[in-house]
Amino acid sequence: MIWRALLLAASAAAPGAIAQENGASQPTPVDVVEEEIQVLGDLPGPPLWKVTKDDHVLWILGIPELVPNDLLWHPDSVEQALARSSEYLPGTSLRVSLTNPVRAWRLIKRVRRIPDRGTLEGVLPEDLYRLFSETRLRYAPKRDGLEELRPSVAAEELFDSAAQSAGLESGRTIGRAIEKRAKKHRVKKVPAHISWRYKESPLFDSIQVMSPGAEQTCLQASLQGLDAQLEAHTRLAAAWAVGDLASIRAHSGDSATLGCDSFALAFDPAVLSQIESRSWELWLENAERALTNNDSTFAILPLGALLRPDGPLSWLRQRGYEVVEPDEAPPLGTRVF
């Protein structure tokens, strides 16, 4: 999320602030848990989409948003595809460049909280505050400071705490595992980065005046059915690990917290759409160049993006490439599970 990108960018210039903010009472963020891959017999591995042009092939692995921290999955097909590839295309990413990182860090801490030292009890409707309190007692009883966070930020923090209590961590752990294997096989990494530089004040001013109704809506969507959301993520990851395409396609979609990013809520939707479009354009440019020049290329993308009817696979088909679904042909033709 954009919050995380800005926090990381600001912390590069103010590392001491991170240490003070992340006290012992706060849970470890789900996206920094170390990854460990375990092999489970000869079960099928995660599904790979195959994109071809003449004799050139692009293998794409979709990464779930959340995975159990003890997930067992078979990396054999991924390993083989990487070993035969000359380039590795990670997913799109945003590089945030702050004009004054130290000042930005102070502003971030300020705008994450409710203005004028307010509390959630004072700004939320009674029924929504009751739901927040019940969820907090269940998933983050020892977490200090949640009452002072603005609703959209509290939604993210509570979802992270609930995910950790359910034994879930960020799918970035899978991406880091792929990165290690790419380095082992000396596969060249070709990223699709968007660099975003701005002055802090206008951005943070817009966050401070964002719609309270939009923030409350995102908090309610995040808290309602939270157990069902976590269970759905667990089932999806289990299906992904063994290549169960039917269960993967039946997944309802990404979690409600994806709509609770405070920066996304504050930004002009047209600006956000422009940034997203440009990042996908860069990825597609890399993919098309790879399909022209390389015999074999390996890529990772968010699983949700691959499953969208109007996502990158659809764009590749529209540009004349053949896309083979994972259940239409076994990966690489080397092993049938």
Side-chain angles (χ1 to χ4, degrees), residues 1-248:
M1 294 187 180
I2 301 177
W3 267 122
R4 306 230 192 277
L6 282 164
L7 286 169
L8 289 172
S11 67
I18 288 286
Q20 295 172 9
E21 190 78 0
N22 291 339
S25 63
Q26 294 185 351
T28 303
V30 297
D31 56 359
V32 297
V33 180
E34 291 298 323
E35 59 84 19
E36 179 181 357
I37 295 179
Q38 304 178 51
V39 176
L40 181 61
D42 284 336
L43 289 176
L48 288 172
W49 278 258
K50 182 180 180 182
V51 183
T52 61
K53 175 185 178 182
D54 300 325
D55 294 330
H56 305 268
V57 60
L58 169 66
W59 298 99
I60 306 178
L61 174 69
I63 305 295
E65 180 192 353
L66 293 174
V67 298
N69 51 34
D70 58 353
L71 180 68
L72 304 174
W73 63 282
H74 198 305
D76 187 60
S77 59
V78 170
E79 189 87 37
Q80 292 180 51
L82 268 172
R84 298 185 182 188
S85 295
S86 54
E87 287 186 344
Y88 155 61
L89 311 182
T92 62
S93 62
L94 172 66
R95 281 182 174 173
V96 179
S97 178
L98 304 173
T99 57
N100 188 335
V102 175
R103 180 171 181 269
W105 171 251
R106 298 192 185 111
L107 288 170
I108 288 170
K109 290 197 297 182
R110 190 180 78 206
V111 300
R112 280 169 58 86
R113 294 179 170 85
I114 299 170
D116 302 321
R117 298 187 177 184
T119 64
L120 288 173
E121 185 176 14
V123 301
L124 295 179
E126 183 177 348
D127 57 342
L128 181 53
Y129 180 73
R130 183 167 55 250
L131 176 60
F132 162 79
S133 299
E134 293 170 353
T135 306
R136 178 190 177 186
L137 285 174
R138 182 173 183 182
Y139 292 113
K142 298 181 180 180
R143 177 71 187 275
D144 295 328
L146 283 177
E147 283 277 353
E148 290 77 38
L149 295 179
R150 61 191 320 137
S152 57
V153 179
E156 294 183 62
E157 297 294 331
L158 266 181
F159 187 89
D160 281 359
S161 295
Q164 290 176 67
S165 70
L168 295 170
E169 63 186 11
S170 170
R172 294 187 185 95
T173 57
I174 305 296
R176 289 196 288 269
I178 301 303
E179 190 100 4
K180 289 180 181 179
R181 280 163 167 73
K183 290 181 179 178
K184 182 182 75 172
H185 294 291
R186 298 183 179 180
V187 181
K188 180 182 178 182
K189 179 180 178 180
V190 183
H193 286 310
I194 288 288
S195 294
W196 186 20
R197 184 175 179 84
Y198 58 86
K199 294 182 179 180
E200 290 80 21
S201 295
L203 175 61
F204 294 116
D205 288 345
S206 66
I207 293 170
Q208 288 182 301
V209 298
M210 79 174 97
S211 166
E215 289 205 78
Q216 291 178 18
T217 298
C218 94
L219 176 62
Q220 185 163 7
S222 177
L223 299 183
Q224 286 182 332
L226 183 53
D227 288 340
Q229 292 182 53
L230 298 176
E231 183 180 349
H233 281 293
T234 302
R235 288 198 306 268
L236 175 63
W240 173 87
V242 297
D244 180 356
L245 266 295
S247 296
I248 290 173

Side-chain angles (χ1 to χ4, degrees), residues 2 196 263-277:
I2 301 177
W196 186 20
F263 281 82
L265 289 173
F267 261 88
D268 182 344
V271 174
L272 286 178
S273 177
Q274 182 180 8
I275 294 172
E276 183 180 13
S277 296

